[in-house]
Amino acid sequence: AGGPAALLALTVGLRTLNCFLVQTSFVPDEYWQSLEVAHRMAFKYPLGPRGLNNYGYLTWEWASGLRGYSYPLIFASIYKALQLLAKDDVQLLIWIPRLSQAVLAAFADVKLYSLVRHLENAETAKYVYFCQLCSWFTWYSCTRTLTNTMETLLTIFALSYYPIKGSKKGSSCTYLALIAFAIVIRPTAVIPWIPLVFSHFLQEQRKADLILHSCVPVGLVTVGTSLIIDRVFFGKWVLVQLNFLKFNVLQNLGTFYGSHPWHWYFTQGLPVILGTHLPFFLYGCVLAPKRYRIFLMTVIWTVLVYSTLSHKEFRFIYPVLPFCMFFCGYSLKHLKAWRKSAASFLLLSNLVPALYTGLIHQRGSLDVMSHVQQLCSDSYQSQAFVFFMMPCHSTPFYSHVHCPLKMRFLQCPPDLTGNESYIDEADVFYSNPLSWLKKEFHNDTLLPSHLIFFSVLEQEISSFLALRGYEKTATVFHTHVPQGRVGSHIYVYRKKT
């Protein structure tokens, strides 16, 4: 009784729990390309004695027109509604966007179940749904405010309207509109859909109708809306998608953030995000009927295209994970005698990484923000000056503080002028932290009231801390696997008054 409604209620409950059990940071984009921008859009403060009216920080990408305002506008609307209701408490500003992503993720899970049920049967759909729910990487990512998360959710929604060969279900306009929205949010969303749209075009008998009555109107409306939104917030006409393509593909400037060998997605990326689902995925690829080869082609094509770009990250291939879950569920359904053991193995083997990465690994950069928040309710707020001496964008910023504190962090924009000897501020700082601090804060009146940095830096700058009268006020755990500039703990130092 009440099948679909009961399934949705159960899934919303699970994803809400998922949301609260993910208290760690993943990558800076989670805040700096969504919540931080939204905070700036929604909250304006009059110019104070210290000239603080930019109540939210825009990274260099926004100055270069590489990012669009359509995605942050969703969160800015939530923030504005909370402000109008006089409920813009910092904890609500942190959790409501996450909870809204959790609800969307639950709808996507149910859509995936419904799609497989329509294509196959309820039993296969049940196992695909199970694989989707117990995927550690989906658990880790699906409630985060990342553009990759929204891209993945919109991919699932679009797939549920895609006219798969042999299926009587499908709506060209709906799935194309969802793809277009995903491309507006993150232009790379076009990659997985190239083989799918091409396949649809080949099997479509009324090709001219598909182009003139579906593709063209959807494209014009979406690009037009995106252009208008960006015109309002940039204050000028900017075609973000073209700038994004130029930067990441034509100029390949993404390498500034690191490069990996071409095979990285095959040898590390896909195996890591699939985890223990990998053998089930491979078995499912062998078992699945020919009409689902388009799904496998989509996975292979996407991974191949991303492999040609030097800068690689796990989250970039997150949108193909639902396709992989389809094959995992298909193989699980056909295991028969081993099914219960296989399902138990999948659940238990994913539970540990899901809970560890969600509750323990890299949680310090979020936990430390509660120490910064305390400065807001302090009468001392107007004198406070917080300096994050960490790899740039290590922590969230105003979206997790919500008061006009004076804050600063080490900058690391890439050089867009072609200067080969360019070194960003963070690199200059880390080459000789003590010398940099002495030069930057040569006068005591310039000193920050609070310094926040990773434990690995403490010994190197201990003489500066002692000489300038700083004392440690908090030690926050961050990770069990410190690497390079990232230490196991984060320290908060306060200048004695």
Side-chain angles (χ1 to χ4, degrees):
L7 183 67
L8 182 60
L10 170 71
T11 316
V12 168
L14 283 168
R15 288 302 180 204
T16 302
L17 177 67
N18 183 168
C19 179
F20 288 116
L21 290 178
V22 175
Q23 298 174 25
T24 54
S25 62
F26 181 12
V27 286
D29 278 12
E30 190 175 348
Y31 320 105
W32 292 85
Q33 307 304 348
S34 54
L35 301 186
E36 192 60 27
V37 183
H39 197 279
R40 187 186 173 98
M41 292 162 77
F43 301 108
K44 299 287 181 195
Y45 268 68
L47 276 169
R50 294 156 73 177
L52 242 178
N53 73 334
N54 291 339
Y55 199 41
Y57 189 94
L58 295 184
T59 56
W60 64 272
E61 291 107 320
W62 300 89
S64 304
L66 290 179
R67 303 282 181 175
Y69 281 95
S70 301
Y71 185 52
L73 184 60
I74 298 167
F75 303 115
S77 306
I78 293 171
Y79 284 171
K80 207 70 191 170
L82 289 169
Q83 187 187 36
L84 293 170
L85 294 167
K87 297 287 183 190
D88 55 325
D89 172 76
V90 67
Q91 291 304 320
L92 288 177
L93 296 185
I94 292 168
W95 287 103
I96 298 290
R98 293 280 310 275
L99 284 164
S100 63
Q101 289 284 166
V103 171
L104 273 176
F107 273 92
D109 294 337
V110 173
K111 274 287 185 188
L112 186 62
Y113 170 86
S114 303
L115 170 69
V116 181
R117 184 172 180 165
H118 170 74
L119 292 174
E120 286 291 313
N121 50 55
E123 195 182 8
T124 308
K126 180 175 73 175
Y127 289 110
V128 171
Y129 174 79
F130 170 80
C131 288
Q132 170 77 353
L133 283 185
C134 74
S135 160
W136 82 269
F137 193 79
T138 300
W139 177 275
Y140 183 59
S141 307
C142 75
T143 64
R144 296 183 184 276
T145 52
L146 281 164
T147 51
N148 311 87
T149 297
M150 188 60 98
E151 179 190 352
T152 304
L153 301 181
L154 287 170
T155 295
I156 297 174
F157 289 132
L159 199 58
S160 67
Y161 295 101
Y162 176 77
I164 294 165
K165 203 169 186 178
S167 166
K168 292 173 185 173
K169 196 178 167 186
S171 166
S172 298
C173 271
T174 309
Y175 99 82
L176 288 168
L178 287 162
I179 298 167
F181 182 38
I183 293 166
V184 163
I185 287 172
R186 190 170 177 84
T188 51
V190 73
I191 296 168
W193 283 98
I194 289 172
L196 287 158
V197 173
F198 185 65
S199 171
H200 175 202
F201 182 75
L202 289 179
Q203 72 185 48
E204 181 63 51
Q205 292 178 329
R206 294 175 298 175
K207 290 178 171 54
D209 280 1
L210 177 66
I211 293 168
L212 296 173
H213 298 153
S214 296
C215 296
V216 172
V218 163
L220 288 174
V221 169
T222 315
V223 172
T225 307
S226 167
L227 271 172
I228 291 164
I229 290 169
D230 289 334
R231 173 71 180 82
V232 169
F233 291 102
F234 277 115
K236 59 182 179 181
W237 294 107
V238 177
L239 188 55
V240 169
Q241 291 74 25
L242 184 62
N243 293 341
F244 187 94
L245 180 75
K246 268 193 213 166
F247 180 86
N248 287 295
V249 180
L250 304 179
Q251 296 172 300
N252 200 20
L253 289 170
T255 51
F256 180 80
Y257 294 105
S259 59
H260 300 80
W262 69 266
H263 56 76
W264 187 85
Y265 282 120
F266 292 98
T267 55
Q268 289 181 58
L270 199 58
V272 167
I273 70 166
L274 274 170
T276 51
H277 283 79
L278 182 59
F280 298 94
F281 165 66
L282 295 172
Y283 185 50
C285 293
V286 174
L287 282 182
K290 281 184 183 178
R291 71 188 186 120
Y292 299 129
R293 278 185 188 165
I294 187 64
F295 291 168
L296 181 57
M297 277 178 60
T298 301
V299 175
I300 295 168
W301 160 263
T302 304
V303 176
L304 279 172
V305 171
Y306 274 116
S307 295
T308 64
L309 301 175
S310 300
H311 180 57
K312 299 174 175 67
E313 292 186 40
F314 294 111
R315 63 191 172 107
F316 292 170
I317 55 168
Y318 178 30
V320 302
L321 204 52
F323 294 92
C324 298
M325 291 304 117
F326 172 81
F327 291 105
C328 293
Y330 197 87
S331 68
L332 203 59
K333 188 247 179 186
H334 285 83
L335 279 179
K336 307 284 187 219
W338 293 93
R339 193 186 296 154
K340 275 191 179 177
S341 304
S344 302
F345 165 73
L346 269 180
L347 184 62
L348 293 172
S349 60
N350 278 271
L351 192 63
V352 174
L355 292 176
Y356 180 78
T357 56
L359 290 171
I360 299 167
H361 180 60
Q362 293 184 174
R363 68 170 296 139
S365 52
L366 291 182
D367 289 347
V368 79
M369 297 311 289
S370 61
H371 295 277
V372 181
Q373 289 159 19
Q374 285 166 18
L375 301 175
C376 294
S377 54
D378 204 321
S379 55
Y380 164 71
Q381 183 203 120
S382 58
Q383 284 83 44
F385 170 21
V386 181
F387 183 28
F388 296 91
M389 297 192 300
M390 309 164 91
C392 64
H393 309 133
S394 289
T395 64
F397 216 49
Y398 284 109
S399 62
H400 282 54
V401 177
H402 194 50
C403 77
L405 271 180
K406 186 180 179 186
M407 298 195 293
R408 180 185 168 188
F409 62 92
L410 295 167
Q411 303 278 340
C412 61
D415 173 56
L416 302 175
T417 63
N419 177 8
E420 288 181 13
S421 60
Y422 170 79
I423 306 172
D424 66 57
E425 184 182 46
D427 282 343
V428 174
F429 169 82
Y430 279 105
S431 66
N432 193 334
L434 195 57
S435 171
W436 189 95
L437 286 167
K438 285 175 181 174
K439 189 178 175 183
E440 188 74 11
F441 303 115
H442 55 85
N443 188 323
D444 276 11
T445 57
L446 302 171
L447 286 168
S449 62
H450 291 75
L451 298 174
I452 298 176
F453 53 88
F454 282 113
S455 49
V456 287
L457 193 63
E458 186 182 45
Q459 195 173 353
E460 206 165 344
I461 60 168
S462 57
S463 60
F464 175 86
L465 298 171
L467 190 65
R468 300 302 168 96
Y470 283 97
E471 61 181 346
K472 192 188 294 183
T473 56
T475 299
V476 180
F477 170 78
H478 183 63
T479 179
H480 288 122
V481 279
Q483 285 181 313
R485 298 171 180 178
V486 177
S488 60
H489 290 76
I490 296 171
Y491 294 151
V492 180
Y493 270 78
R494 176 177 175 167
K495 189 166 174 21
K496 295 174 197 168
T497 50

